[in-house]
């Protein structure tokens, strides 16, 4: 009887994230999209002064760390700087001074390395640090002592750089002996006698990029974002990304996103922000909150645009909801949903979704067709849909074939088993499709069934010795099916009986 056509559906966009918490349906609980006013103030401060003093870097690092008591945390940094600069053993020369500062930091503040501990306030609480927090504190202390600094990042690491006497010297701040890695240093006792050497090998970084001190501080926010997402708390990462973009780009954080790229090691914070916005949006999709997803796309994309990426996200949200409607056989609801969100879609995406819904609606109706009138209405709609471009010719032929088969099957269903209704229905539409192997096979099956009915009726009357009625039925059958082997065999039986 043919193979049932499958519903053609778009693939659901695969945005890979761990299983996230469900979010309340109240859209007012979306993450904050407005930057912290201090982020804009700090940006303006650096723009106006073409950089930052060490005290300003200290203050910004505390803010970026999310310290609960910013005053106390800032006081600890100020105290550390005062202790360093008042130390009688602080060398006068730049190189020795910078090396001394690294040792001072490890002797008095840095206690244990912890890969994810990026907050400078926490360093003073328990002494734990990572490459970013240690590099930030080293930078602040160096700047407080009059040593100019910048920083270096690789794909997965950050460290400081000091600028002394025309030289740029790397400093691996996670290691007490990380000043100018790759050079051997002598150790002497209090009498000047050589006691040994220390050596920190230089890292073989294939890719490295020099960044400014404020960019280094912004990595605190970047690491906090990563930590929130490791915990599946994608909502909390959004305001951090908003603040980081504002800190580095100010009011221009809403501009230039379209053309930003990820080619640089230090990724454009605007692009990183859109990543965070979409990651949060992905949690809404995973929670089957497509309406909230689309509302999120409207408000977030208007402030932080990136047309191609937001369009992909919107298309995924619409697709996911339509897919669920169609799985539930709710084609009318799918159609209303599509129309309500038409303005968010490209013409091509809208046309494709419309085609999918139309296809599913036709298939649902074909499966429920019971009368010739219902089948004819579906066939007419398929032809109109094909002419309007809602499906291609090949798909139209598939659905026409299936609708005719399903309707024919319903017309001859039990208990009547009137095969002639099915034969007549298929014959009435066969010319519509021209040569059609599936319909021709179905027609032959029904005709064989009809011929078998003649045989069964003949056999019943013959066995009752109603030979005249049996002869009449057989003649009627042979008139319609003159080549049917079973009926011809029956005629041989009749002829033998006559000859006897």
């Amino acid at each position: 009887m043919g193979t049932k056509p499958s519903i053609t559906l778009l693939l659901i966009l695969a945005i890979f994230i761990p299983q996230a918490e469900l979010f309340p349906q109240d859209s007012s609980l979306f993450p904050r999209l407005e930057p912290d006013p201090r982020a804009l103030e700090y940006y303006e401060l650096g723009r106006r002064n073409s950089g930052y003093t060490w005290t300003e870097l200290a203050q910004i690092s505390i803010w970026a760390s999310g310290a609960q008591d910013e005053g106390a945390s800032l006081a600890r940094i100020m105290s550390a700087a005062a202790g360093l600069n008042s130390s009688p053993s602080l060398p006068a020369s730049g190189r020795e001074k910078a090396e001394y500062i690294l040792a001072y930091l490890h002797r008095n503040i840095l206690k244990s390395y912890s890969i994810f501990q990026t907050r400078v306030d926490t360093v003073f609480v328990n002494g734990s640090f990572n490459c970013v927090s240690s590099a930030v504190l080293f930078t602040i202390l160096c700047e407080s002592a009059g040593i100019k600094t910048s920083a270096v990042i690789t794909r997965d690491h950050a460290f400081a750089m000091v600028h002394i006497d025309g030289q740029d010297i790397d400093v691996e701040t996670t290691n007490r002996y990380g000043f100018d890695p790759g050079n051997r240093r002598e150790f002497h006792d209090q009498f000047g006698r050589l006691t040994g050497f220390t050596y920190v090998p230089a890292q073989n970084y294939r890719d490295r990029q020099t960044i400014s001190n404020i960019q280094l501080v912004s990595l605190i926010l970047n690491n906090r974002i990563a930590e929130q997402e490791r915990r599946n708390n994608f909502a909390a990462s959004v305001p951090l990304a908003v603040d980081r973009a504002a800190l580095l780009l100010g009011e221009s954080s809403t501009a230039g996103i379209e053309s930003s790229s990820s080619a640089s090691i230090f990724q454009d914070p605007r692009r990183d922000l859109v990543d965070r916005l979409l990651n949060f949006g992905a949690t809404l999709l995973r929670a089957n909150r497509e309406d909230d997803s689309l509302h999120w796309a409207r408000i977030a994309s208007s402030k932080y645009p990136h047309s191609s990426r937001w369009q992909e996200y919107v298309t995924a949200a619409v697709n996911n909801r339509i897919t669920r409607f169609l799985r539930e056989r709710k084609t009318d609801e799918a159609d209303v949903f599509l129309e309500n969100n038409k303005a968010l879609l490209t013409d091509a995406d809208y046309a494709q979704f419309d085609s999918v819904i139309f296809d599913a609606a036709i298939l649902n109706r074909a499966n429920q067709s019971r009368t010739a009138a219902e089948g004819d209405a579906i066939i007419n709609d398929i032809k109109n849909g094909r002419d309007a471009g809602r499906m291609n010719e090949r798909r139209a032929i598939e659905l026409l074939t299936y609708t005719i088969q399903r309707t024919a099957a319903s017309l001859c269903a039990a208990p009547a088993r009137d095969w002639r209704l099915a034969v007549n229905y298929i014959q009435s539409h066969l010319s519509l499709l021209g040569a059609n192997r599936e319909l021709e096979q179905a027609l032959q099956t029904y005709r064989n069934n009809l011929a078998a009915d003649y045989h069964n009726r003949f056999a019943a009357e013959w066995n009752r010795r109603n030979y005249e009625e049996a002869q009449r039925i057989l003649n009627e059958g042979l008139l319609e099916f003159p080549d049917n082997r079973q009926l011809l065999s029956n005629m041989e039986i009749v002829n033998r009986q006559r000859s006897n």
Side-chain angles (χ1 to χ4, degrees), residues 471 474-475 478 487-496:
Q471 180 74 64
L474 181 58
N475 290 339
L478 284 170
L487 296 181
L488 290 173
S489 176
N490 293 343
M491 181 54 73
E492 291 178 1
I493 294 173
V494 172
N495 291 337
R496 284 197 300 270

Side-chain angles (χ1 to χ4, degrees), residues 169-467:
I169 304 171
D170 291 345
V171 183
E172 286 282 2
T173 56
T174 58
N175 192 309
R176 180 172 181 174
Y177 307 113
F179 186 85
D180 196 10
N183 289 328
R184 187 178 72 166
R185 274 175 294 283
E186 298 178 348
F187 275 79
H188 300 80
D189 64 16
Q190 59 181 326
F191 302 106
R193 293 174 299 198
L194 181 65
T195 60
F197 301 91
T198 186
Y199 179 81
V200 175
Q203 299 295 320
N204 182 24
Y205 297 123
R206 296 179 56 186
D207 299 307
R208 54 182 285 163
Q209 180 181 348
T210 300
I211 60 175
S212 68
N213 288 335
I214 193 61
Q215 289 175 325
L216 172 64
V217 171
S218 80
L219 294 181
I220 297 173
L221 287 166
N222 195 63
N223 286 358
R224 290 178 62 201
I225 290 168
E227 178 64 19
Q228 292 298 335
E229 294 197 341
R230 278 192 297 271
R231 297 175 179 175
N232 293 342
N233 194 355
F234 296 91
S237 73
V238 169
L240 296 176
V242 169
D243 291 346
R244 181 168 180 261
L247 173 66
L248 297 179
L249 301 166
E251 295 291 354
S252 67
S253 61
T254 60
I257 298 178
E258 294 286 350
S259 59
S260 66
S261 69
S262 58
S264 172
I265 298 175
F266 189 85
Q267 184 170 311
D268 189 320
R270 295 166 297 191
R271 182 181 181 87
D272 184 70
L273 170 56
V274 174
D275 288 344
R276 310 286 72 78
L277 300 175
L278 290 172
N279 275 3
F280 170 72
T283 66
L284 300 176
L285 291 181
R286 287 179 63 88
N288 293 330
R289 288 177 54 186
E290 289 85 5
D291 288 331
D292 283 342
S293 298
L294 293 171
H295 184 50
W296 171 248
R298 289 186 185 96
I299 63 175
S301 65
S302 66
K303 188 165 183 61
Y304 304 107
H306 193 301
S307 59
S308 60
R309 301 182 72 197
W310 279 115
Q311 190 61 61
E312 181 182 17
Y313 175 78
V314 165
T315 301
V318 172
N319 177 77
N320 289 7
R321 189 65 189 101
I322 287 176
T323 298
R324 289 200 294 119
F325 275 132
L326 298 190
R327 285 174 179 168
E328 297 165 0
R329 301 185 183 278
K330 297 178 179 179
T331 55
D332 289 342
E333 290 90 334
D335 195 54
V336 170
F337 176 82
L338 178 62
E339 291 304 313
N340 289 342
N341 292 284
K342 182 177 181 179
L344 297 176
L345 299 168
T346 64
D347 290 344
D349 284 339
Y350 172 82
Q352 189 169 10
F353 285 127
D354 176 68
S355 177
V356 167
I357 296 171
F358 180 75
D359 188 294
I362 289 292
L363 194 55
N364 288 346
R365 290 171 60 197
N367 286 328
Q368 298 170 7
S369 176
R370 295 293 180 269
T371 67
E374 290 174 342
D376 290 346
I378 298 169
I379 289 169
N380 188 59
D381 288 342
I382 294 172
K383 291 189 291 185
N384 290 337
R386 176 193 57 192
D387 294 343
R390 301 178 81 179
M391 64 174 57
N392 59 35
E393 180 67 21
R394 179 177 179 179
R395 184 59 175 171
I397 294 297
E398 288 178 350
L399 288 178
L400 286 169
T401 300
Y402 183 67
T403 300
I404 294 170
Q405 288 178 317
R406 286 289 303 179
T407 304
S410 296
L411 292 175
C412 64
R417 291 298 185 192
D418 191 339
W419 307 114
R420 192 173 300 283
L421 289 176
V423 168
N424 291 342
Y425 190 79
I426 292 177
Q427 286 179 328
S428 68
H429 291 289
L430 193 57
S431 60
L432 174 70
L433 303 180
N436 187 297
R437 183 177 179 181
E438 287 191 52
L439 287 183
E440 289 168 357
Q441 289 177 340
L443 179 61
Q444 187 60 50
T445 298
Y446 288 127
R447 286 176 61 84
N448 289 341
N449 290 348
L450 187 55
D453 268 359
Y454 278 112
H455 163 73
N456 292 338
R457 290 164 56 203
F458 162 79
E461 296 301 327
W462 185 267
N463 292 336
R464 295 189 189 100
R465 299 182 183 277
N466 295 330
Y467 299 120

